[in-house]
Amino acid sequence: KPVLLSCFLLSFIRSIADFGTPVVIGGRFETVSTEIYMQVIGYSRLDKSAALNVLLLIPTILVFILYRYLMQKNEKVISGNSNKTVEAGDTFRVRGLSAVIVWLGAGIFFVMMALNSFSRNLRGKITFTTMYLDALLERNMDTFIRSVEYALIVAIVGSLIGILLSYYIERRKIKFGGVLDFIITLPYMLPGSCFGIGYILAFNHEPLKLTGTAVIVILNMIYKQRSITTKASASSLLQISTELDAAARDLGANKFLVMKDVILPNVKQAFATGFINNFTSAMVTAGAVIFLVTPGQKIAVFTLFDCINTGRYGEASMIATFIIVITISVNVLFSIIVAWKGKKKRVFRTEKHK
């Protein structure tokens, strides 16, 4: 029951300030998030957009606090009733009818979009065309390169920072660790527009004037998705006995070596989780950085919005197809590398033991 309620609240929080869906297919139907966008982009009224963000922020914070309470209650129930331990690296997969429904739904959606990328309707007759692909290669490839560069930086740096933070909160038990954990988790729950406007107001003057640069976009992406890697790393650290740390220190290892030789090798799965989540989020994020991206540093998702707003749906389908293909390719490649390295090390250790 606590898990179901937590999932419900988490879905509520992530949906209340959704920007991409209503701005693309909402038509005349307006939400607070789209109105915030219009107040900033259309009328340059940061004061009214900030006030509208407060309307989203209040229910989000209240539901977030309730979510945190339920999660803590759920952890107590599990720790009190469960006699089983989950080995590090175990995963839960969707199987059976649920897997068929998920894969079929995603597959049909992708095939329809890919077909629309290579077809053109002329006087009621659908014909094959590569004009959308040519337009993308000629005008928009730089936005894809920039998006991949940003996403890779966010994936690597964000995952490492998340692991370090979880290590100090869960392992070193630093003072005010609970407060720090709350601060780390909060940005994931905040409305993206609220987060973006906050960055504008905070970094639009000296000594940290970052508006108009790539740094502010990357920092926003890293901090927005920090909690996923932190939570995954905390879960992995809870499965590592503290006696390993003590044994390493008894053998002469300092804190750096304990981190390098004991902690990091055992949180590879958490790093992989953070990398995939951060990369995917950075490739498709919109609301949090829409006010921070300048025309000279446009990323692929905003080129997609421009095509939709101007009625170039075929070109928009091609851009969306490229975003999906790039994201899935990087995720699959990274997963294969992680799995191959883990298998190689296990084989090496077995042969050495023999």
Side-chain angles (χ1 to χ4, degrees):
K1 184 178 177 180
V3 172
L4 292 175
L5 289 174
S6 298
C7 291
F8 170 80
L9 296 176
L10 188 61
S11 300
F12 171 83
I13 292 171
R14 299 296 293 167
S15 301
I16 189 173
D18 182 26
F19 169 78
T21 303
V23 80
V24 171
I25 63 175
R28 295 183 178 180
F29 179 79
E30 296 182 356
T31 63
V32 177
S33 59
T34 57
E35 182 63 22
I36 291 171
Y37 171 76
M38 288 303 302
Q39 289 297 324
V40 176
I41 301 299
Y43 307 107
S44 299
R45 297 191 59 180
L46 284 177
D47 53 349
K48 188 173 181 179
S49 64
L52 290 172
N53 268 298
V54 173
L55 294 179
L56 288 179
L57 189 61
I58 292 174
T60 302
I61 294 295
L62 292 177
V63 173
F64 175 55
I65 293 174
L66 179 59
Y67 161 78
R68 295 271 300 184
Y69 167 76
L70 289 174
M71 287 303 294
Q72 292 176 356
K73 182 179 179 181
N74 180 54
E75 290 174 359
K76 291 179 180 179
V77 170
I78 292 176
S79 60
N81 297 337
S82 178
N83 294 322
K84 297 181 180 179
T85 58
V86 180
E87 295 182 1
D90 282 0
T91 57
F92 299 92
R93 303 179 184 276
V94 181
R95 294 185 175 90
L97 182 60
S98 300
V100 173
I101 294 174
V102 170
W103 282 103
L104 188 61
I108 292 175
F109 170 79
F110 179 75
V111 169
M112 290 178 62
M113 187 171 58
L115 290 176
N116 192 56
S117 304
F118 291 97
S119 61
R120 188 181 183 187
N121 192 334
L122 292 175
R123 299 178 183 179
K125 184 179 180 181
I126 299 177
T127 59
F128 176 81
T129 180
T130 60
M131 60 178 297
Y132 306 129
L133 179 61
D134 296 336
L136 186 147
L137 296 176
E138 290 176 5
R139 300 196 301 263
N140 299 319
M141 282 309 296
D142 58 329
T143 62
F144 277 96
I145 295 173
R146 187 176 299 113
S147 296
V148 173
E149 290 175 348
Y150 288 2
L152 287 174
I153 294 173
V154 171
I156 296 173
V157 177
S159 299
L160 291 175
I161 293 176
I163 291 174
L164 288 174
L165 287 172
S166 63
Y167 170 72
Y168 279 98
I169 294 173
E170 299 293 338
R171 204 70 164 185
R172 299 287 294 275
K173 302 294 183 181
I174 60 174
K175 291 184 178 180
F176 307 109
V179 177
L180 180 59
D181 181 58
F182 182 85
I183 294 174
I184 292 171
T185 309
L186 189 59
Y188 183 76
M189 307 299 180
L190 289 177
S193 55
C194 178
F195 208 59
I197 291 175
Y199 266 61
I200 293 177
L201 298 176
F203 300 109
N204 196 33
H205 49 76
E206 301 296 341
L208 292 176
K209 188 174 183 179
L210 301 176
T211 51
T213 66
V215 175
I216 192 172
V217 177
I218 294 173
L219 288 176
N220 183 285
M221 291 178 177
I222 290 175
Y223 195 46
K224 181 69 174 171
Q225 300 298 327
R226 182 84 54 80
S227 62
I228 297 295
T229 308
T230 305
K231 297 302 181 184
S233 302
S235 178
S236 297
L237 288 172
L238 290 175
Q239 300 172 31
I240 305 172
S241 174
T242 55
E243 294 178 357
L244 291 176
D245 298 17
R249 286 193 294 268
D250 290 342
L251 293 173
N254 53 30
K255 294 180 180 179
F256 173 78
L257 291 177
V258 170
M259 184 70 182
K260 171 179 170 292
D261 297 329
V262 177
I263 301 299
L264 291 181
N266 287 284
V267 294
K268 289 184 296 184
Q269 188 65 36
F271 178 83
T273 301
F275 182 96
I276 291 175
N277 175 78
N278 291 340
F279 182 88
T280 304
S281 299
M283 285 295 296
V284 302
T285 187
V289 298
I290 194 168
F291 305 124
L292 306 177
V293 175
T294 60
Q297 303 206 347
K298 189 178 292 185
I299 55 180
V301 68
F302 295 120
T303 305
L304 171 65
F305 282 142
D306 290 343
C307 292
I308 293 173
N309 291 331
T310 54
R312 295 176 288 160
Y313 297 112
E315 192 171 341
S317 297
M318 180 61 70
I319 294 173
T321 302
F322 260 65
I323 291 176
I324 293 174
V325 170
I326 291 174
T327 303
I328 292 178
S329 299
V330 172
N331 289 345
V332 170
L333 179 61
F334 183 78
S335 299
I336 291 174
I337 292 174
V338 171
W340 177 75
K341 285 189 174 182
K343 183 178 180 181
K344 184 178 179 181
K345 288 186 177 181
R346 286 194 295 269
V347 171
F348 173 76
R349 288 173 181 172
T350 302
E351 293 178 348
K352 186 176 179 181
H353 177 71
K354 289 180 179 179

